[in-house]
């Protein structure tokens, strides 16, 4: 028989009560809480290893200048070599001079902030847990009801923007124009990135595009409110991405870290830069040639932190295409390391288990 106390601390009931406010983490901060509620507490062993170790303090993820990518063949080939090194050794890199105008980057960050700081009643009208059927969804922690052990300190909204964009009225007015404008640039730049990645594999430029890697774009826009006790929680738990490729725009607050050589390395914000990282599906189809790296975001007393993640992936959308290691990259000496799988099948497990710190790739290894 459950006592009153055990009901009070039942994590499901606590999560449900938090969810039903429809005001997310920002609602807690607006209520001027001084202590982080228990559902947000992470295990101490996950939290203690927060700072990059001394041996990697001089390491930083590669920064690649794309200014000359269209100049001539030699310049492009030099950039391809840098991309190849980055995705094989780091799984992450930052791009400067990517040609997306600075005002477009600033406006999408402002739009994300405007929505999350909108009147709670307006935001509630977009609140949903039905990400499978709605084009635009606002909530806190997509995996709130999964088996993930702790809740993270962030609110988000997500929107499938390609190939079947939402009608303008489906997107809140506060961020509508900014999202359409930014996504247009992201799709164009994503096309270029997949060309360079194809070339880095020694294949024709259009190879990855022909496999529908660039076809679907999901934007997830995060808002990390300032946290009164950042040593008890995380902005996002350790995870790798359920995508072919992720393009991230972050503001100047910082907190993103990647796991490199068993140490956490800061991805320091660079004004006007974009962070690119390989997702699980690209590791799968390249048969481990490119690496999908685990990363996380720390909670912070400063804030709010704004980030815009653009995922090239159909995720839970209908897609019958089956993916496995590319035939051009396997041989007797290098046999396939993964079984074939659809993105939807992979994503279903990804969403059910939530951000629990493990990659599902290990479960489909041959």
């Amino acid at each position: 028989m459950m006592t009153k106390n055990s009901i009070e601390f039942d994590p499901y009931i606590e999560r449900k009560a938090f969810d039903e406010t429809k005001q997310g983490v920002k609602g807690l901060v607006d209520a001027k809480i001084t202590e982080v509620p228990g559902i947000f507490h992470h295990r101490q062993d996950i939290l203690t290893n927060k700072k990059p170790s001394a041996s990697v303090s001089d390491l930083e993820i590669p920064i690649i200048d794309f200014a000359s990518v269209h100049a001539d063949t030699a310049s492009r080939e030099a950039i391809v070599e840098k991309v190849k090194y980055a995705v094989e050794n780091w799984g992450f890199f930052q791009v400067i001079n990517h040609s997306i105008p600075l005002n477009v980057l600033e406006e999408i960050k402002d739009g994300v902030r405007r929505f999350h700081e909108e009147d709670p009643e307006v935001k509630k009208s977009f609140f949903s847990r039905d990400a499978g059927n709605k084009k635009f969804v606002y909530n806190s922690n997509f995996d709130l009801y999964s088996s993930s052990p702790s809740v993270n300190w962030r609110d988000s909204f997500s929107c499938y923007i390609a190939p079947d964009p939402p009608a303008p009225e489906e997107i809140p007015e506060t961020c509508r124009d900014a999202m359409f404008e930014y996504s247009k640039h992201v799709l164009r730049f994503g096309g270029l990135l997949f060309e360079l990645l194809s070339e880095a594999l020694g294949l024709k430029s259009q190879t990855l595009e022909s496999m529908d890697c660039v076809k679907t774009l999901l934007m997830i826009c995060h808002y990390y409110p300032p946290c009164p006790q950042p040593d008890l929680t995380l902005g996002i738990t350790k995870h790798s991405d359920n995508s072919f490729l992720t393009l991230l725009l972050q503001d100047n607050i910082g907190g993103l870290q990647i796991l490199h050589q068993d140490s956490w390395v800061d991805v320091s914000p660079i004004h006007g830069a974009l962070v690119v990282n390989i997702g699980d599906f690209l590791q799968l189809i390249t048969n481990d040639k490119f690496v999908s790296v685990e990363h996380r975001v720390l909670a912070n007393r400063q804030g709010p932190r704004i980030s815009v993640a653009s995922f090239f992936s159909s995720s839970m959308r209908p897609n019958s295409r089956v993916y496995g290691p590319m035939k051009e990259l396997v041989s007797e000496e290098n046999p396939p390391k993964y079984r074939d799988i659809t993105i939807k099948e992979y994503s279903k497990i990804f969403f059910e288990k939530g951000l629990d710190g493990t990659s599902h790739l290990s479960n489909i290894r041959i």
Side-chain angles (χ1 to χ4, degrees):
M1 179 180 151
M2 278 188 140
T3 66
K4 182 174 181 296
N5 281 351
S6 66
I7 290 173
E8 278 177 9
F9 295 103
D10 179 290
Y12 175 79
I13 291 174
E14 296 275 318
R15 290 184 190 205
K16 196 165 185 339
F18 165 70
D19 202 32
E20 285 175 349
T21 69
K22 300 185 178 179
Q23 294 192 42
V25 178
K26 182 163 192 306
L28 299 175
V29 173
D30 288 347
K32 302 205 167 14
I33 61 157
T34 54
E35 294 185 0
V36 169
I39 57 170
F40 293 92
H41 290 198
H42 287 258
R43 287 202 329 262
Q44 205 50 44
D45 59 315
I46 290 171
L47 296 165
T48 44
N49 179 22
K50 276 196 172 180
K51 284 289 150 208
S53 68
S55 62
V56 294
S57 58
D58 57 338
L59 282 181
E60 62 176 7
I61 73 165
I63 299 164
I64 306 178
D65 189 340
F66 271 38
S68 62
V69 72
H70 298 300
D72 51 52
T73 306
S75 301
R76 184 177 175 112
E77 285 173 355
I79 289 171
V80 167
E81 278 307 307
K82 288 176 180 171
V83 168
K84 183 174 188 282
Y85 169 80
V87 297
E88 288 180 358
N89 295 281
W90 285 83
F92 265 76
F93 59 96
Q94 297 210 60
V95 180
I96 56 173
N97 294 318
H98 42 66
S99 79
I100 302 180
L102 201 55
N103 67 308
V104 174
L105 304 184
E106 293 306 314
E107 183 53 30
I108 184 64
K109 285 187 290 189
D110 289 347
V112 172
R113 180 193 288 262
R114 280 194 301 268
F115 173 79
H116 283 289
E117 294 179 356
E118 175 70 278
D119 181 286
E121 294 307 310
V122 175
K123 282 200 300 187
K124 281 180 187 179
S125 66
F126 292 97
F127 185 93
S128 176
R129 290 267 162 214
D130 184 16
N133 294 307
K134 292 200 169 194
K135 290 278 181 69
F136 185 100
V137 164
Y138 150 68
N139 59 41
S140 184
N141 289 263
F142 76 87
D143 56 345
L144 186 70
Y145 297 117
S146 73
S147 55
S148 56
S150 301
V151 178
N152 289 316
W153 195 261
R154 76 179 188 289
D155 301 330
S156 314
F157 66 78
S158 62
C159 182
Y160 280 96
I161 207 96
D164 180 20
E169 60 272 15
E170 291 180 272
I171 298 185
E173 205 175 330
T174 44
C175 54
R176 181 184 302 155
D177 293 346
M179 286 184 70
F180 281 126
E181 183 62 23
Y182 179 66
S183 62
K184 193 171 67 182
H185 290 278
V186 165
L187 284 163
R188 191 179 308 133
F189 184 58
L192 172 63
L193 286 170
F194 280 105
E195 285 181 13
L196 301 176
L197 290 165
S198 298
E199 292 165 31
L201 290 166
L203 303 171
K204 289 183 178 146
S205 301
Q206 303 305 317
T207 304
L208 290 170
E209 185 182 346
S210 70
M211 296 176 69
D212 290 344
C213 296
V214 199
K215 187 177 175 184
T216 309
L217 185 68
L218 168 65
M219 284 176 68
I220 304 186
C221 302
H222 296 304
Y223 183 94
Y224 302 84
C227 181
Q229 295 174 302
D231 291 340
L232 295 180
T233 188
L234 285 167
I236 296 186
T237 324
K238 179 180 81 163
H239 67 287
S240 58
D241 284 353
N242 176 43
S243 66
F244 288 105
L245 194 71
T246 305
L247 198 60
L248 179 81
L249 171 64
Q250 59 171 345
D251 67 9
N252 62 347
I253 298 281
L256 174 63
Q257 296 183 328
I258 72 166
L259 196 56
H260 180 74
Q261 297 174 3
D262 292 329
S263 293
W264 288 106
V265 178
D266 290 316
V267 182
S268 301
I270 299 172
H271 185 60
L274 290 165
V275 180
V276 179
N277 71 276
I278 299 299
D280 291 353
F281 303 138
L282 212 45
Q283 178 167 332
L284 185 155
I285 65 175
T286 64
N287 210 34
D288 284 354
K289 193 160 175 58
F290 295 169
V291 291
S292 174
V293 173
E294 291 178 322
H295 49 288
R296 68 182 184 183
V297 175
L298 303 181
N300 205 314
R301 285 189 189 279
Q302 286 178 286
R305 177 182 186 266
I306 307 288
S307 73
V308 182
S310 300
F311 299 91
F312 287 92
S313 166
S314 57
S315 194
M316 295 297 282
R317 294 282 161 185
N319 180 354
S320 57
R321 185 162 188 156
V322 175
Y323 288 93
M326 297 162 73
K327 62 181 188 312
E328 300 95 327
L329 302 179
V330 297
S331 61
E332 277 187 40
E333 300 76 46
N334 184 32
K337 297 186 168 94
Y338 300 99
R339 68 176 175 85
D340 290 358
I341 193 168
T342 65
I343 291 178
K344 190 163 184 179
E345 182 192 345
Y346 189 96
S347 300
K348 185 172 183 289
I349 295 158
F350 180 90
F351 285 107
E352 281 171 359
K353 73 184 188 65
L355 303 180
D356 63 355
T358 64
S359 167
H360 181 46
L361 279 177
S362 56
N363 299 326
I364 59 169
R365 276 192 180 273
I366 294 172

